[in-house]
Amino acid sequence: MTNLNYQEKIPNNVDLSTDLSLQRALEHWQPKFKNWWTEMGPEGFQASDVYLRTATSVDADGWATYGKVKMPEYRWGIFLNDKVQDRKIHFGDNIGEPVWQQVPGDYRSILRRLIVTQGDTEPASVEQQRELGKTCPSLFDLRNLFQVNVEEGRHLWAMVYLLHAYFGRDGREEAEALLERNSGDIDNPRILGTFNEPITDWVSFFMFTYFTDRDGKYQLKSLAESSFDPLARTCQFMLTEEAHHMQVGETGITRMIQRTLEVMNELNTDSVETIRNAGVIDLQTIQRYINFWFSSSLDLFGSEISSNSATAFANGLKGRPDEMRYEDHSEKNTTFTFEGLSLENTIETQTIPMRNAMNEITRRAYVTDCEVGLKRWNRLIKKAGYDIQLKLPSTRFRRNIGIWAGVDVNPEGKIISKDNFDKNIGSWLPSDNDKEFINSLMVQVIEVNKTAGWIAPPNRGINNMDIGYDYVNLK
Ligand code: BYC
């Protein structure tokens, strides 16, 4: 187990003090990060004491310590999982060769692009969520939001370390640019679509942490397989943090549904109007938020047929999530058959080289994982005696990237006419009226042990503390 060194200006377990020029470069970036955090991070809570966990070791069992911290004083640092001795490349064209501790010249630009894309999402999400504190449903939720935010900040550090340590001047420039692009900025937006979507209400926050953070899980799993060992080790550690974010999403949606069902049973109704008048969110609206965030997150996997993903796999830069579960790790002469789009705009079975299907394979693993929560929520609904089922829309629905981009498809996956699509899209996605209603529920609740009326209280506290613990002391 490696204990993390918190004595240094930048906490780390990479012996930063032995590389003075790298240390200096990162210390130069550090105040810029802090400025970004103050300007673009959680608005209005920078002086509050927040009950946060901080990593103390990279060991899976004992890596967290909890205590009250002001967010700007959070010890963001550089933590990589321990090196595995004699680790070998285990997929692609170079299987069996030692993994790389430095970036091979030929792969420099593709690796940099992957790291920059990953890095860009982290501060983007903090920017997207910066206003949410003003409408938190409880102190417990407020603390969870901030925990997610500081850890996304640390994930940015993880990528910035790689850029500084392994990509020279280009890397330093990219690290600066990561603080210059901003979510939703018309002139200088974040790289990937979903990270420019506004998150101004907590329903969207829970959907984002359920669906979009789960893309993070699958992308990190793929990068954790990388033959570039420092990238693999840093992603392995990031995954332990990511798990909490998805849990925030899953329990948040569960609590929302629980509260709705409670009210439906109390009033013995499934009328949307009555449910809304009682101040809880009808399941139909929840379905529309699922449709929006799931379809947006599917785009994050890239195109179904991708030469970029084939190159990344062949070169051993990015594997499949849980690569060792597959039988063939070369996939040189294998094929993948799927339902694609014909030239006549109809659905047709197509066969492509397996390596070109890596994005789609990863997306499918992600979809299966998304289903788990849906099954749980549907069990709750059924148990409460209602005949409504929440569903994931088809992976062809409302896509902006890949072969289905711009194709008019309904949530069941059927290609329909443009007219039909335009007429119905308003009922498949959150409407202005839905958003207005959701916004009307978003009222800040900051009394200890109180929870907003639209969501059930959590069923347990953080780190065995009471649900009623004052997780955030506002200043
Ligand atoms: N929006 O061959 P293609 C997370 C671009 S989330 C805009 O189809 P490729 C987190 C693509 O960049 C995980 N552009 O796809 C979650 C390429 O552009 P260039 C983030 C898009 O390259 C919550 C072009 O389209 N990590 O950690 O195989 C909170 C054609 O690309 C989009 C990563 O994404 C899009 N949705 O794969 C906080 C991992 N999709 O190069 C954090 C690193 C594609 O032609 N990134 N494009 O200009 C990658 O592995 C790959 O870049 C992608 C795309 C999976 C994104």
Side-chain angles (χ1 to χ4, degrees):
M1 179 205 322
T2 311
N3 282 318
L4 308 179
N5 181 353
Y6 276 94
Q7 305 313 312
E8 294 184 30
K9 208 164 158 190
I10 301 173
N12 71 88
N13 69 347
V14 292
D15 287 334
L16 194 56
S17 59
T18 60
D19 185 341
L20 284 180
S21 64
L22 175 60
Q23 187 178 24
R24 232 175 283 131
L26 284 165
E27 285 180 1
H28 188 66
W29 189 81
Q30 191 177 35
K32 296 181 184 176
F33 169 81
K34 292 238 166 120
N35 282 345
W36 167 83
W37 178 269
T38 319
E39 277 171 31
M40 300 306 290
E43 200 180 295
F45 296 91
Q46 303 281 355
S48 304
D49 292 309
V50 187
Y51 187 67
L52 294 175
R53 67 174 187 181
T54 309
T56 44
S57 97
V58 292
D59 177 69
D61 297 325
W63 68 274
T65 176
Y66 288 80
K68 292 246 167 101
V69 184
K70 291 190 199 333
M71 284 185 281
E73 289 159 24
Y74 188 79
R75 302 304 316 279
W76 286 284
I78 300 160
F79 310 125
L80 274 64
N81 265 22
D82 292 341
K83 242 186 211 167
V84 172
Q85 281 304 315
D86 298 323
R87 182 171 171 246
K88 300 279 194 294
I89 296 175
H90 61 290
F91 64 93
D93 288 339
N94 305 312
I95 292 176
E97 290 176 20
V99 291
W100 319 305
Q101 299 305 331
Q102 293 297 327
V103 178
D106 287 351
Y107 307 149
R108 199 178 159 81
S109 91
I110 172 165
L111 254 177
R112 193 183 58 211
R113 191 179 67 89
L114 289 173
I115 293 169
V116 166
T117 308
Q118 177 64 48
D120 190 72
T121 62
E122 316 290 0
S125 67
V126 176
E127 292 166 359
Q128 285 171 293
Q129 296 162 15
R130 68 189 298 258
E131 308 258 358
L132 289 175
K134 293 177 192 160
T135 54
C136 63
S138 70
L139 284 181
F140 168 92
D141 290 293
L142 185 62
R143 176 267 166 202
N144 279 346
L145 166 71
F146 295 155
Q147 183 70 56
V148 169
N149 291 162
V150 293
E151 284 174 357
E152 301 300 7
R154 207 206 66 72
H155 289 181
L156 170 61
W157 270 95
M159 293 302 122
V160 163
Y161 163 70
L162 295 178
L163 290 170
H164 272 255
Y166 298 98
F167 293 88
R169 189 183 169 157
D170 302 355
R172 290 194 293 279
E173 284 172 8
E174 293 283 12
E176 303 271 315
L178 285 170
L179 298 177
E180 286 160 8
R181 283 186 291 274
N182 287 139
S183 176
D185 190 313
I186 294 174
D187 299 320
N188 202 7
R190 291 296 175 182
I191 298 171
L192 300 174
T194 311
F195 294 89
N196 290 304
E197 296 288 356
I199 304 179
T200 50
D201 63 78
W202 281 74
V203 181
S204 298
F205 172 66
F206 291 134
M207 294 289 166
F208 180 92
T209 41
Y210 187 81
F211 289 112
T212 311
D213 276 275
R214 198 171 305 275
D215 165 53
K217 169 181 167 185
Y218 279 83
Q219 296 299 335
L220 290 173
K221 269 174 168 287
S222 300
L223 295 173
E225 305 283 340
S226 183
S227 312
F228 177 43
D229 202 42
L231 174 62
R233 288 164 53 214
T234 205
C235 289
Q236 284 153 15
F237 184 63
M238 287 162 78
L239 276 164
T240 58
E241 292 164 318
E242 202 67 41
H244 169 256
H245 307 184
M246 287 176 295
Q247 196 212 347
V248 167
E250 176 168 356
T251 52
I253 299 174
T254 304
R255 288 164 51 210
M256 231 156 50
I257 294 173
Q258 269 171 347
R259 182 74 193 116
T260 300
L261 293 170
E262 228 171 76
V263 169
M264 285 168 78
N265 275 338
E266 268 166 31
L267 302 181
N268 194 18
T269 186
D270 57 6
S271 142
V272 170
E273 203 189 333
T274 316
I275 292 166
R276 284 190 172 198
N277 284 339
V280 293
I281 307 164
D282 51 284
L283 299 174
Q284 290 80 353
T285 299
I286 293 176
Q287 177 68 63
R288 288 191 282 277
Y289 276 79
I290 291 174
N291 291 351
F292 180 90
W293 286 102
F294 177 67
S295 56
S296 180
S297 303
L298 289 174
D299 277 339
L300 296 172
F301 291 84
S303 187
E304 285 71 8
I305 310 167
S306 164
S307 56
N308 284 348
S309 77
T311 309
F313 186 85
N315 294 339
L317 305 176
K318 185 179 173 190
R320 286 166 290 194
D322 304 308
E323 181 58 44
M324 291 323 282
R325 284 204 201 155
Y326 295 86
E327 263 173 36
D328 180 343
H329 303 292
S330 156
E331 304 287 14
K332 198 163 182 174
N333 301 309
T334 48
T335 54
F336 180 79
T337 300
F338 72 115
E339 300 281 274
L341 185 68
S342 75
L343 291 174
E344 293 76 38
N345 239 22
T346 56
I347 297 169
E348 78 171 10
T349 304
Q350 294 176 350
T351 297
I352 59 170
M354 184 72 81
R355 286 180 174 186
N356 290 66
M358 291 304 167
N359 287 345
E360 182 59 12
I361 291 168
T362 307
R363 183 169 20 244
R364 287 187 181 193
Y366 163 82
V367 173
T368 304
D369 199 18
C370 286
E371 296 277 8
V372 174
L374 272 284
K375 282 197 191 116
R376 206 165 287 158
W377 302 327
N378 283 332
R379 270 202 300 272
L380 284 179
I381 299 170
K382 195 164 172 211
K383 205 165 147 210
Y386 294 94
D387 206 13
I388 305 169
Q389 292 272 292
L390 297 170
K391 287 193 199 95
L392 294 177
S394 159
T395 52
R396 303 195 270 262
F397 172 67
R398 201 183 79 94
R399 293 287 303 280
N400 286 304
I401 299 283
I403 57 172
W404 301 104
V407 183
D408 298 313
V409 176
N410 69 12
E412 284 71 46
K414 192 164 167 258
I415 297 177
I416 55 175
S417 71
K418 185 169 177 346
D419 270 4
N420 193 347
F421 184 84
D422 290 346
K423 215 165 50 216
N424 286 297
I425 188 72
S427 65
W428 293 328
L429 298 178
S431 64
D432 288 346
N433 175 283
D434 292 339
K435 289 181 200 165
E436 212 175 289
F437 168 66
I438 297 294
N439 280 333
S440 75
L441 300 179
M442 297 295 124
V443 181
Q444 190 185 54
V445 177
I446 46 172
E447 291 83 27
V448 171
N449 219 2
K450 287 258 155 46
T451 305
W454 57 270
I455 184 166
N459 60 14
R460 62 193 180 103
I462 314 284
N463 190 32
N464 296 326
M465 304 295 275
D466 213 67
I467 295 169
Y469 177 66
D470 54 341
Y471 288 103
V472 183
N473 300 121
L474 305 171
K475 290 267 165 58

